[in-house]
Amino acid sequence: MKQDMNLENRSGRNEFFPEDSFKSWGDYGKAFMKTPFRLKDRMFTRSKDYMEIVEMKARSSHQMKKTLSWWDLIWFGIGAVVGSGIFVLTGLEAREEAGPAVVLSYVVSGTAALLSVFCYTEFAVEIPVAGGSFAYLRVELGDFVAFIAAGNILLEYVIGAAAVARSWTSYFATLCNKNPDDFRIIVHKMNPDYGHLDPIAVVALVAIAILAIFSTKASSVFNKIATILHLFVIVFIIVVGLINANPENYSSFAPFGTRGIFKASAVLFFAYIGFDAVSTMAEETKNPGRDIPIGLVGSMVIITFIYCLLASTLCLMQNYKTVDINAPFSVAFSSIGWGWAKYIVALGALKGMTTVLLVNVVGASRYLTHISRTHMMPPWFALVHEKTGTPLNATIAMVISTAMVAFFTDLRILSNLLSISTLFIFMLVAVGILVRRYYSTGITTKENQIKLIVCVVLIIGSSCGMSGYRAMSDGWIGWAVTAPLWLLGTGGVWFLVPEVKKPKVWGVPLVPWLPSFSIAINIFLLGSIDKDSYIRFGIWSGILLIYYVLIGLHASYDASKEVESRHCMAQYVDKEIKNVEEECKKLEVGQLAKEEELGTKV
């Protein structure tokens, strides 16, 4: 009986950790002793396009259904992005950081987002899988960098959905003519940043998860309907708001100076987060080469235009000093005597946040699915349900994690921490584009490899210098040093390193300048985020490293060696089959020669 229980427990463990390193404590001990060797192997191992597109997908038991067109992706893009960022953070940043110049903050963060969209689009077309930036970085920067990015990607999605869910409660309260805290459980003995418990946010997340699990196509249809209604509300806000505009509210346009504009833009980058979730749907897209560029770039241009109009309208309707930080647009309509309109605004905001939650849950589960295919996370999360064609386990896991964060944590903490993770990942993706275009194993010479490394280090270092100098000083001396260094690094790639790989279907324009500028602006915005957020980011990165060294490293190492062994065996078998075929041909030729010889004699 006891033996049967042990076998049962071992079987359960092997379903979650099926790798050789986890068969027993003895095996794990041996594997752990090889950590330095395995870490070196994973740091310098790069995946291949074929591995991500074919081998990794095969580990999910069943294929995801290809049901999406470019039209679906545009609506997913708008639905994924236009939500709590614009309807909540606009008021917060206008009042505390930027004033009416918050519209310029949206221009800056929108430019950074658009540059990242170009980088994402090339990768998504070339490597159309559910892994998004994780898969792209595995191919170009190796397993270790990809894992660090993966942890931050998952953090980005958990925090992003949690922030939107809490904002959902705020606008739901407005719709019910209540204060948001009326729907929250206040625990006075806890820190206020974590003591306002939000059960409504949890209920909203669970409802969205059920739809995401049911069908990707059904999610797309729901997203289209909700987004269309949402856009009607946005048009209503802009038209009625501009009719009631008071130009005097713009008399003090940038009360906090340029520093406030950039500081706000770093936080408002949160308002653009979500488009990367669209890239994770590449695996479910009918024609990735055509549909992804149209869907991603088209939706981002539309979104930036909408955000600038909404931000301008808010600050023209109401003085930035009196803007409400919880539900700014609803309260703004009350201030001009249109109290009834706040219900329309709140309903539109709720629809927008619902679609953001939906696309977030869909995107997060696809990321976790592909990460688990590599065994960096347990492969149990990579399973795709046979009937629905959706990653059931990954969706449930991400929603539970998100609900726990949303239940406890304040929006401001979430938005700052989210911006760090997102900007960091977008910077890495831009670096990945440079590596993809200018480095190829076996083709790039050692000399050109060194040139590329020096130039990329120069680009990143000068960008960090500009960001740090801007955070500490309003002078120009630092710019006079760092900006030429950035130009030198980018120009060095352009003039000194030959391009070895061109995209087959769609590529980033103006390479290396556009990816380099994306690196610079993302790092620049990182310099505007507060110290406490960096401390939380550091703690999370430390947790990731501990998990990787103890579990992820050994699991992914075993999985990769198993694939290599299988490929070697397949190559050996193919070679033996060819040898046998050649021997058979020789025998046939010999036999025919003998028969001809005998025939001639006869």
Side-chain angles (χ1 to χ4, degrees):
M1 180 74 175
K2 188 174 181 181
Q3 188 177 0
D4 290 341
M5 286 180 67
N6 287 336
L7 288 171
E8 194 176 33
N9 290 336
R10 179 177 293 181
S11 173
R13 183 179 69 239
N14 285 348
E15 285 182 12
F16 213 67
F17 294 115
E19 302 81 15
D20 290 341
S21 294
F22 301 98
K23 284 184 176 178
S24 68
W25 284 106
D27 290 324
Y28 178 72
K30 292 175 184 177
F32 187 74
M33 294 300 291
K34 298 176 183 177
T35 296
F37 166 77
R38 292 185 170 190
L39 185 60
K40 181 181 178 182
D41 178 85
R42 293 294 87 196
M43 287 184 74
F44 295 101
T45 298
R46 300 165 73 214
S47 182
K48 294 180 174 62
D49 292 10
Y50 171 83
M51 288 290 294
E52 301 302 312
I53 297 171
V54 179
E55 181 70 34
M56 294 298 112
K57 285 169 66 174
R59 295 181 180 180
S60 288
S61 299
H62 304 285
Q63 295 289 314
M64 296 186 194
K65 297 176 182 177
K66 291 184 176 292
T67 57
L68 304 177
S69 66
W70 64 267
W71 186 241
D72 293 305
L73 295 183
I74 281 185
W75 285 107
F76 261 127
I78 296 172
V81 177
V82 183
S84 88
I86 185 66
F87 283 109
V88 177
L89 291 180
T90 305
L92 185 65
E93 296 306 309
R95 182 165 172 169
E96 297 185 1
E97 302 293 350
V102 69
V103 64
L104 299 182
S105 300
Y106 272 116
V107 171
V108 172
S109 51
T111 301
L114 187 59
L115 294 175
S116 296
V117 163
F118 279 115
C119 297
Y120 265 83
T121 301
E122 177 173 329
F123 274 125
V125 170
E126 297 279 305
I127 311 173
V129 294
S133 51
F134 169 73
Y136 315 152
L137 295 175
R138 244 172 67 86
V139 170
E140 302 305 335
L141 300 182
D143 265 22
F144 179 72
V145 173
F147 176 78
I148 298 301
N152 282 287
I153 290 165
L154 295 178
L155 178 67
E156 170 194 335
Y157 275 98
V158 167
I159 290 175
V164 175
R166 288 187 74 92
S167 298
W168 201 97
T169 302
S170 295
Y171 270 90
F172 180 70
T174 301
L175 194 63
C176 299
N177 211 21
K178 299 283 186 179
N179 187 284
D181 282 342
D182 292 341
F183 290 97
R184 292 179 178 133
I185 302 167
I186 312 299
V187 182
H188 297 287
K189 293 182 180 180
M190 289 180 67
N191 185 321
D193 291 339
Y194 304 97
H196 290 214
L197 311 184
D198 198 331
I200 298 290
V202 175
V203 172
L205 281 166
V206 171
I208 288 298
I210 293 170
L211 178 59
I213 289 169
F214 177 69
S215 165
T216 302
K217 189 62 181 179
S219 299
S220 175
V221 172
F222 174 82
N223 174 71
K224 279 181 191 173
I225 295 170
T227 302
I228 289 170
L229 294 173
H230 186 206
L231 289 178
F232 275 118
V233 174
I234 287 174
V235 170
F236 172 81
I237 293 171
I238 293 169
V239 172
V240 176
L242 292 178
I243 290 172
N244 291 276
N246 181 5
E248 290 183 8
N249 291 330
Y250 260 40
S251 59
S252 178
F253 182 70
F256 302 98
T258 55
R259 185 180 298 278
I261 292 172
F262 284 111
K263 192 172 181 181
S265 66
V267 175
L268 291 174
F269 197 82
F270 168 83
Y272 290 94
I273 290 168
F275 72 82
D276 51 328
V278 180
S279 72
T280 69
M281 298 174 196
E283 195 171 314
E284 297 159 272
T285 302
K286 295 175 184 176
N287 186 352
R290 180 199 65 188
D291 297 338
I292 292 171
I294 297 173
L296 275 173
V297 178
S299 60
M300 185 52 62
V301 171
I302 294 169
I303 289 161
T304 303
F305 181 67
I306 289 172
Y307 279 2
C308 290
L309 279 176
L310 283 171
S312 300
T313 301
L314 176 66
C315 293
L316 281 169
M317 288 173 66
Q318 190 175 12
N319 189 288
Y320 77 92
K321 295 178 183 177
T322 59
V323 168
D324 184 78
I325 61 173
N326 288 313
F329 287 92
S330 294
V331 176
F333 275 94
S334 295
S335 70
I336 60 171
W338 287 51
W340 58 270
K342 73 177 183 180
Y343 299 107
I344 296 177
V345 176
L347 186 61
L350 282 176
K351 289 183 180 297
M353 290 176 200
T354 302
T355 59
V356 170
L357 281 176
L358 174 62
V359 182
N360 191 296
V361 168
V362 170
S365 58
R366 270 70 181 164
Y367 263 119
L368 181 56
T369 297
H370 200 78
I371 292 167
S372 301
R373 287 169 175 172
T374 68
H375 289 229
M376 289 186 190
M377 294 290 287
W380 182 79
F381 293 118
L383 299 178
V384 172
H385 195 272
E386 183 179 2
K387 292 183 179 179
T388 64
T390 58
L392 179 65
N393 298 342
T395 304
I396 293 172
M398 291 305 295
V399 168
I400 290 173
S401 302
T402 303
M404 290 174 64
V405 175
F407 188 61
F408 290 101
T409 315
D410 182 69
L411 176 64
R412 185 58 186 259
I413 291 174
L414 292 172
S415 59
N416 278 351
L417 186 55
L418 178 62
S419 292
I420 293 179
S421 294
T422 307
L423 290 166
F424 175 68
I425 294 161
F426 289 174
M427 182 271 292
L428 287 178
V429 171
V431 172
I433 284 291
L434 293 178
V435 174
R436 184 172 183 83
R437 292 290 193 93
Y438 293 96
Y439 175 78
S440 181
T441 305
I443 298 176
T444 305
T445 63
K446 190 70 175 178
E447 182 183 357
N448 286 330
Q449 183 181 348
I450 293 171
K451 288 178 185 176
L452 178 62
I453 292 171
V454 170
C455 290
V456 170
V457 169
L458 200 57
I459 290 168
I460 294 174
S462 59
S463 300
C464 290
M466 284 186 276
S467 178
Y469 185 76
R470 177 61 190 160
M472 295 183 294
S473 172
D474 290 323
W476 58 270
I477 297 174
W479 289 93
V481 174
T482 54
L485 289 176
W486 177 84
L487 288 171
L488 182 64
T490 310
V493 176
W494 193 30
F495 286 111
L496 302 177
V497 186
E499 191 173 354
V500 294
K501 189 184 293 181
K502 292 187 179 293
K504 298 171 187 174
V505 181
W506 193 97
V508 177
L510 302 175
V511 173
W513 297 99
L514 191 150
S516 181
F517 187 52
S518 179
I519 293 168
I521 195 168
N522 284 321
I523 292 177
F524 186 80
L525 291 176
L526 280 168
S528 300
I529 296 173
D530 65 278
K531 181 182 71 175
D532 290 343
S533 295
Y534 274 102
I535 293 172
R536 296 183 186 102
F537 178 74
I539 293 170
W540 174 247
S541 298
I543 293 171
L544 287 178
L545 287 172
I546 293 170
Y547 170 84
Y548 186 70
V549 170
L550 294 179
I551 298 174
L553 168 64
H554 307 292
S556 60
Y557 179 86
D558 286 350
S560 67
K561 295 309 173 186
E562 183 184 338
V563 171
E564 288 176 13
S565 175
R566 193 161 61 244
H567 282 185
C568 288
M569 181 60 71
Q571 289 174 357
Y572 173 77
V573 171
D574 287 343
K575 186 177 179 181
E576 289 300 309
I577 290 172
K578 286 180 181 178
N579 289 337
V580 171
E581 288 175 347
E582 288 176 4
E583 289 296 324
C584 289
K585 285 179 182 178
K586 288 178 182 178
L587 290 172
E588 287 176 5
V589 170
Q591 185 68 28
L592 288 171
K594 285 181 180 180
E595 289 176 358
E596 287 176 3
E597 186 179 346
L598 287 170
T600 303
K601 287 180 180 179
V602 172

